[in-house]
Amino acid sequence: MKLSVIYMMNVIVLGLFGWAMVTYYDAASQFQRLMSGSGDGVIINITPIFITLLIVSIIGFIITRNKRRNNKGWKEALLLPSELCEDDEREKTLTAHACRNAYIAMMFTSPLLIVAMTLQPVVSKQFPAYPILVLLFLPFVQISVFYISLRRKLR
Amino acid sequence: MMLNNRIRELRARFRFTQQDLAAKVGVTRQTIAAVEKGEYVPSLLLAMKICREFGMSMEEVFQLQEESE
């Protein structure tokens, strides 16, 4: 499977997961108000969760079937990310290089995200699910850096 | 320091395609292409496997070259 397709699928899944978690976060806030006696119930919008589960299942099925066709074992097909399925030593070297870059990106991004989290009391009034967005930014950066590193090496 | 190789020339002489050689030494075709172009320096194990397929010594297939040469 093409690297760009895998990257797009990862970003879509990450975005959908964030969307579903925002809904959960909203429900948790309602539950918290209910427990403190100021709320009158919990309403969960199941549309994001349903769409996320549906699309993740479809993408998971396509990726797993694709890996099984490439003679990968069930364990590797189900659990190992597609971009880490290396066929030889050169691909292992490229992956190692991309992982190194993703790790470096994490070292720079993490402190920035922690700083961003300190804004949570200010931002949470307008956007309650702000921490989820901040937390999702880290895997997004790592996936993107990994993808860009591989693309540069494969060019 | 660079590692030059004669894989392309030897492949032509032995009438191997990149895919043939790749299958014989257990790597992908893209890896053979990258080694031929000098974009990837193979491991000692892969280099020895390639030499074995051509029935040659390491020095006959791979040559170390100074950057300024």
Side-chain angles (χ1 to χ4, degrees):
Chain A
M1 197 177 286
K2 279 182 79 176
L3 191 64
S4 55
V5 176
I6 294 171
Y7 172 69
M8 281 312 295
M9 282 181 176
N10 283 337
V11 171
I12 289 168
V13 168
L14 198 62
L16 286 171
F17 182 70
W19 188 32
M21 286 303 108
V22 167
T23 315
Y24 265 122
Y25 193 91
D26 186 43
S29 303
Q30 290 177 49
F31 185 69
Q32 187 257 329
R33 281 198 293 275
L34 182 72
M35 293 302 283
S36 62
S38 58
D40 45 33
V42 178
I43 299 167
I44 301 177
N45 179 11
I46 62 158
T47 311
I49 297 158
F50 177 74
I51 292 174
T52 302
L53 282 175
L54 183 73
I55 293 179
V56 168
S57 305
I58 293 168
I59 288 176
F61 175 75
I62 293 168
I63 288 176
T64 305
R65 192 183 60 172
N66 193 51
K67 281 194 277 192
R68 287 291 293 160
R69 278 183 182 170
N70 291 331
N71 299 321
K72 305 285 180 196
W74 275 109
K75 197 172 141 191
E76 196 172 330
L78 286 169
L79 300 174
L80 195 68
S82 292
E83 54 272 44
L84 296 182
C85 289
E86 306 114 338
D87 287 324
D88 65 12
E89 60 173 54
R90 179 180 137 272
E91 290 181 3
K92 282 181 182 154
T93 309
L94 295 178
T95 305
H97 177 79
C99 285
R100 182 179 181 273
N101 286 344
Y103 183 85
I104 293 168
M106 185 196 73
M107 297 299 279
F108 283 99
T109 315
S110 302
L112 292 175
L113 292 181
I114 292 167
V115 170
M117 284 293 273
T118 61
L119 297 172
Q120 198 254 340
V122 181
V123 182
S124 63
K125 294 266 191 314
Q126 284 78 37
F127 183 51
Y130 174 74
I132 292 174
L133 192 75
V134 171
L135 285 176
L136 279 177
F137 194 68
L138 185 61
F140 173 73
V141 167
Q142 288 196 298
I143 289 169
S144 301
V145 169
F146 186 92
Y147 168 71
I148 292 165
S149 302
L150 273 186
R151 276 300 294 258
R152 277 190 187 162
K153 282 280 173 185
L154 289 171
R155 209 172 270 170
Chain B
M1 199 89 68
M2 276 181 67
L3 192 66
N4 284 342
N5 66 73
R6 295 169 53 214
I7 295 175
R8 191 188 297 267
E9 173 203 330
L10 292 168
R11 254 193 331 101
R13 194 195 296 174
F14 282 75
R15 294 174 190 267
F16 288 163
T17 62
Q18 285 182 341
Q19 186 62 58
D20 293 337
L21 183 60
K24 283 174 192 289
V25 298
V27 295
T28 58
R29 187 194 62 75
Q30 287 83 356
T31 296
I32 296 297
V35 173
E36 282 183 3
K37 282 192 239 166
E39 288 173 1
Y40 174 65
V41 178
S43 69
L44 184 59
L45 183 67
L46 176 58
M48 291 186 89
K49 281 181 181 175
I50 292 170
C51 292
R52 189 181 61 187
E53 289 305 322
F54 294 130
M56 291 180 171
S57 67
M58 193 72 97
E59 292 79 12
E60 286 175 291
V61 181
F62 296 94
Q63 299 87 36
L64 206 56
Q65 188 190 21
E66 295 291 334
E67 206 75 66
S68 56
E69 280 177 35

